[in-house]
Amino acid sequence: MGKKEIETRDDVQLLVETFYGKIREDKILGPIFNGIITDWEAHLKLLTDFWETQLFLKRKYQGNPVTAHQEVEDKTNGTITSEHFGLWLNHWFATIDELFEGDKAWIAKNRAQKMSTMLFMQMFQHRSRTS
């Protein structure tokens, strides 16, 4: 089967579900995500909304990624490192490359890279304020 462009919500959902399937199995990231996320179905829907908003500029996602990640920071007692973000990004890039090609695939990688840097900085700043 050839790779296709990311064109619809179904494509985004496939990307998100395939990707988080890998994250949940990852020996380093899995325990962190599985330990915090209790309702995976709701979480995957939220993240599909988030990426649909990012890639198609549809206003589906209402949450705040910074606050969500600051809560993770609190729950993990400041143990998340840039290596965790690097691992997450590697899985994200690999999953996109496995399934898709084209402009939206590039945007999904680019946004994730920028966001991971921003979120890690926000978590790190939050850590120094709360410790």
Side-chain angles (χ1 to χ4, degrees):
M1 193 173 98
K3 292 185 213 176
K4 65 187 292 285
E5 297 261 357
I6 302 173
E7 294 168 323
T8 64
R9 181 179 174 88
D10 286 346
D11 294 338
V12 176
Q13 188 174 348
L14 175 66
L15 171 58
V16 166
E17 289 181 358
T18 306
F19 170 69
Y20 279 99
K22 291 178 182 190
I23 293 293
R24 293 173 78 175
E25 302 281 303
D26 185 277
K27 60 182 187 294
I28 295 168
L29 297 178
I32 298 168
F33 279 83
N34 291 317
I36 291 172
I37 296 161
T38 50
D39 184 348
W40 271 100
E41 203 173 312
H43 192 66
L44 293 171
K45 183 185 180 310
L46 181 76
L47 287 160
T48 302
D49 288 348
F50 175 80
W51 282 104
E52 193 180 10
T53 299
Q54 290 291 320
L55 297 173
F56 302 119
L57 306 175
K58 292 191 173 161
R59 287 262 152 251
K60 292 267 180 86
Y61 177 77
Q62 305 296 327
N64 182 333
V66 172
T67 320
H69 287 79
Q70 286 173 343
E71 284 168 14
V72 169
E73 177 62 22
D74 295 338
K75 286 176 183 160
T76 55
N77 300 317
T79 54
I80 303 291
T81 66
S82 57
E83 280 76 24
H84 290 102
F85 276 89
L87 258 175
W88 186 100
L89 266 181
N90 285 346
H91 279 299
W92 182 247
F93 279 35
T95 308
I96 291 170
D97 288 341
E98 199 180 291
L99 299 169
F100 298 106
E101 62 187 6
D103 289 347
K104 292 277 193 275
W106 184 85
I107 293 168
K109 290 179 183 177
N110 193 286
R111 289 274 160 86
Q113 193 146 29
K114 287 192 170 123
M115 241 174 325
S116 71
T117 307
M118 181 274 287
L119 288 171
F120 183 67
M121 293 303 296
Q122 293 282 353
M123 284 171 82
F124 195 76
Q125 287 165 356
H126 179 74
R127 182 178 307 176
S128 57
R129 283 196 295 269
T130 54
S131 55

